[in-house]
Amino acid sequence: MRINYLSLTAIAAISLYMTSCSQGEDVTASTTGKQTVTFLSGEKVTRTSMGGNYTDANFPFYWEKNDAIWVNATDEIASNNSETASYALFTGEITTSSPYLIRYTGTGNYSSKNNLTNKTLTTKSDANTLVIPPIQTLSIPGNTVHFGATGDCGIATAAANNVNTYGFKLRHKAAYLIIMPRWPNNTAGNYLLKSIILTTHNSNYLLSGRFGFNENGIGSPVSDTNGSCTIKVNIANGGIILPTTTDQTKSINVVIKPIGTATSTPVPLYCIYEVYDGTNTYFIEKIISDKSFPENTITPITANIETGYKHAVDNHYLDLITTNNIYYNYNQWDAPIGEPYYVSHEMADNYNGTTISNDFTTVSTTTMANKGCADCPTYNEMSWYMQNGGYWDANKIWGTGEKEKGGMWFKKKAYLFSSGIVTEKNFTRKHNNKVSTNISGNDLFIGTIEEPKDLSDNWFFLPASGSYGTNGTLRQEGAIGDYWLSTPYINNGSALRLGFAKIGITVTFNSRLLGYGLWSAK
């Protein structure tokens, strides 16, 4: 990592120590056309932990043994560090003359594969590129050792200290979060934090991806990528026990692409905490709506996760957050498990490029979804769910956001069997009275809306959680539900999808590049 101290709003002044070079500029220049120069950053005091506190005036950053800098966007020089330290020396051959402009872009890299073209795109940070991976793993809570690989970056102009010795201090160009969740009544250690998902739900406010980088800082996404409005941080070793109080030693420290400026209107940041109690997994959402995250700042985020859990209990949607991640559960059709929409959409992947006939009775199991959408209902099964329609419930709460309510109730599969609507044997065959053998037009099946006498255990609920367009922005949240079926369409670029709103229910085909929800038959 980078430099000595970063205050909560700006870089603090640092002391630069003088170091002489073993070889003069005139000697190397006359024999190789290059010069050997030493660059120095930081205070010469070894540190081995994160240290400090977010309430202090200063927040320590450290250089790691794999760190390197770029000089004048041309020459890469690795540090001499063998361990974490608050200072670093960089000695190497330089092909350009002073002034020396320093860039630090870390060691981040990311790869993704387009299954249709069989093309793999791998990008790593260099002088002109910064990589902030959309999916990360945190090995050591309360530490910043991972920052170099997850997007930390900065620029500086080196100033001469001695013959061929230059000092510099970085101005950081990313934004930094110290996330400190707690569960006050976790004295028994039953609740583990397994991951945190951060998202703006809006492609105008990207958090991760592969970006251009120059003296102005982080630029636009590089060619063939779109960037992502989301970062998911998995916590290694099965997670950490949620502390009962705010504890920086157990914080999740994250680098993000900056959002806004100190004076701009805050952009909502959705923080989704994955918590495991030994039996169930909960996805509990907290929304930060009053902060901006400009470059070169550190923002502490505290969260009482237990209150989110109680909110779900009190509003009767605990079953939703324990059985499905309704906040993050958007995928391209049949994307590999573990590759949510925010990752795969940037390569315009077209997963499982198979074709089928229009007659769904002849669908081969080899052409059906076999990855992320494998457990979604088939087209034939969906025709039975829609046989007696559904019930739109505008007031059903399923999240903490203003628009996170509303959705459709459907009859459970067991009730379809017990009520005689369909036998278990015929459930995998299409409902011939309602669905034509051959598809024509975009609407394949239109269900009816009915109001049940009671919403008993015979019904299950799907939230109107909206969907992601190809531009990477969440749309129609609280108004429309979009969910994949496991059945592809005859067109390689399409698959079947369940859609519903207040006015009705439909099954249509749509582009596999869209981000729809995943679900399984109830």
Side-chain angles (χ1 to χ4, degrees):
M1 282 181 36
R2 344 347 63 194
I3 178 191
N4 186 22
Y5 292 100
L6 175 69
S7 75
L8 294 183
T9 57
I11 296 291
I14 65 172
S15 300
L16 297 175
Y17 282 71
M18 306 299 181
T19 299
S20 61
C21 183
S22 62
Q23 191 171 20
E25 179 177 355
D26 57 334
V27 175
T28 54
S30 62
T31 58
T32 66
K34 301 178 181 179
Q35 56 180 328
T36 299
V37 179
T38 295
F39 297 89
L40 168 67
S41 176
E43 294 181 342
K44 200 169 184 179
V45 179
T46 300
R47 302 175 189 269
T48 57
S49 65
M50 179 176 165
N53 190 284
Y54 72 95
T55 58
D56 292 342
N58 298 321
F59 183 89
F61 278 63
Y62 299 96
W63 293 97
E64 310 297 343
K65 64 180 180 179
N66 294 323
D67 278 329
I69 59 173
W70 291 89
V71 182
N72 291 338
T74 302
D75 301 300
E76 183 180 23
I77 306 177
S79 77
N80 66 344
N81 286 32
S82 59
E83 61 181 10
T84 300
S86 63
Y87 73 97
L89 296 175
F90 303 86
T91 301
E93 292 184 329
I94 303 301
T95 59
T96 56
S97 58
S98 62
Y100 295 123
L101 303 180
I102 307 299
R103 295 184 190 179
Y104 173 75
T105 55
T107 59
N109 66 86
Y110 196 76
S111 297
S112 66
K113 182 180 179 181
N114 187 314
N115 286 18
L116 188 64
T117 64
N118 203 33
K119 175 184 176 182
T120 297
L121 175 66
T122 299
T123 309
K124 64 179 181 179
S125 292
D126 57 31
N128 302 302
T129 308
L130 175 72
V131 175
I132 305 177
I135 296 181
Q136 307 172 9
T137 298
L138 176 67
S139 299
I140 309 174
N143 201 292
T144 60
V145 67
H146 60 288
F147 271 15
T150 58
D152 190 18
C153 57
I155 62 171
T157 300
N161 290 332
N162 203 341
V163 177
N164 284 8
T165 304
Y166 292 78
F168 69 90
K169 59 179 180 180
L170 288 179
R171 177 174 177 80
H172 291 252
K173 286 298 185 178
Y176 306 85
L177 309 179
I178 309 175
I179 305 174
M180 294 170 284
R182 65 191 185 278
W183 194 293
N185 291 308
N186 196 26
T187 53
N190 294 328
Y191 297 96
L192 298 178
L193 180 67
K194 297 178 68 67
S195 75
I196 295 180
I197 300 161
L198 305 170
T199 182
T200 64
H201 289 313
N202 191 327
S203 63
N204 291 322
Y205 304 103
L206 301 176
L207 299 181
S208 63
R210 320 154 206 252
F211 304 98
F213 191 85
N214 56 33
E215 272 65 39
N216 294 318
I218 306 173
S220 301
V222 300
S223 177
D224 294 330
T225 70
N226 293 330
S228 174
C229 59
T230 296
I231 292 177
K232 182 178 183 181
V233 181
N234 295 307
I235 300 174
N237 303 315
I240 59 171
I241 297 174
L242 280 163
T244 57
T245 59
T246 299
D247 186 350
Q248 190 183 348
T249 67
K250 295 182 179 179
S251 63
I252 291 80
N253 305 310
V254 186
V255 184
I256 65 172
K257 186 179 184 294
I259 306 175
T261 66
T263 59
S264 61
T265 301
V267 174
L269 180 67
Y270 300 78
C271 305
I272 303 154
Y273 299 86
E274 181 185 7
V275 180
Y276 181 63
D277 67 357
T279 303
N280 295 311
T281 297
Y282 311 106
F283 295 93
I284 300 172
E285 180 185 61
K286 295 284 187 174
I287 303 173
I288 311 299
S289 57
D290 60 346
K291 299 181 184 298
S292 294
F293 307 94
E295 69 177 37
N296 197 33
T297 61
I298 293 175
T299 303
I301 296 175
T302 61
N304 185 336
I305 308 304
E306 188 175 9
T307 61
Y309 174 84
K310 290 180 177 178
H311 177 79
V313 173
D314 295 342
N315 287 281
H316 308 290
Y317 69 93
L318 183 64
D319 58 324
L320 298 177
I321 66 172
T322 57
T323 57
N324 206 357
N325 183 345
I326 53 180
Y327 311 109
Y328 185 65
N329 191 36
Y330 305 89
N331 286 69
Q332 290 183 345
W333 187 78
D334 210 31
I337 295 173
E339 281 201 9
Y341 176 76
Y342 320 98
V343 178
S344 58
H345 89 280
E346 68 177 14
M347 276 292 290
D349 288 339
N350 193 350
Y351 289 113
N352 200 351
T354 55
T355 60
I356 59 173
S357 70
N358 282 4
D359 183 352
F360 286 99
T361 60
T362 63
V363 173
S364 167
T365 56
T366 59
T367 67
M368 304 295 284
N370 54 40
K371 294 187 282 293
C373 292
D375 293 331
C376 295
T378 66
Y379 170 71
N380 294 346
E381 291 170 339
M382 193 65 231
S383 71
W384 291 105
Y385 278 113
M386 298 171 71
Q387 157 66 4
N388 286 331
Y391 169 60
W392 174 260
D393 187 344
N395 298 315
K396 173 69 173 177
I397 295 174
W398 49 264
T400 55
E402 180 181 351
K403 296 180 180 180
E404 294 176 348
K405 64 179 181 179
M408 191 71 70
W409 292 90
F410 293 95
K411 292 183 175 71
K412 290 182 179 180
K413 179 165 60 174
Y415 181 68
L416 298 180
F417 297 161
S418 64
S419 63
I421 294 175
V422 62
T423 64
E424 188 169 358
K425 178 181 179 180
N426 289 331
F427 187 60
T428 56
R429 303 173 183 174
K430 67 180 179 296
H431 189 282
N432 288 316
N433 293 337
K434 289 286 185 178
V435 185
S436 62
T437 300
N438 293 301
I439 300 171
S440 62
N442 198 45
D443 286 327
L444 313 185
F445 185 98
I446 299 177
T448 59
I449 299 293
E450 68 171 34
E451 184 171 352
K453 295 180 180 178
D454 64 272
L455 293 176
S456 63
D457 289 340
N458 293 328
W459 296 75
F460 69 92
F461 180 80
L462 286 178
S465 52
S467 63
Y468 273 82
T470 53
N471 68 345
T473 298
L474 184 64
R475 57 190 185 181
Q476 298 295 317
E477 185 183 31
I480 292 177
D482 283 313
Y483 292 85
W484 287 121
L485 302 184
S486 63
T487 307
Y489 186 50
I490 190 170
N491 185 326
N492 270 352
S494 300
L496 303 190
R497 143 270 190 191
L498 163 69
F500 56 78
K502 181 179 180 180
I503 60 174
I505 313 165
T506 184
V507 170
T508 65
F509 59 88
N510 230 327
S511 169
R512 299 179 192 178
L513 304 182
L514 299 171
Y516 290 161
L518 303 182
W519 64 298
S520 57
K522 302 295 183 181

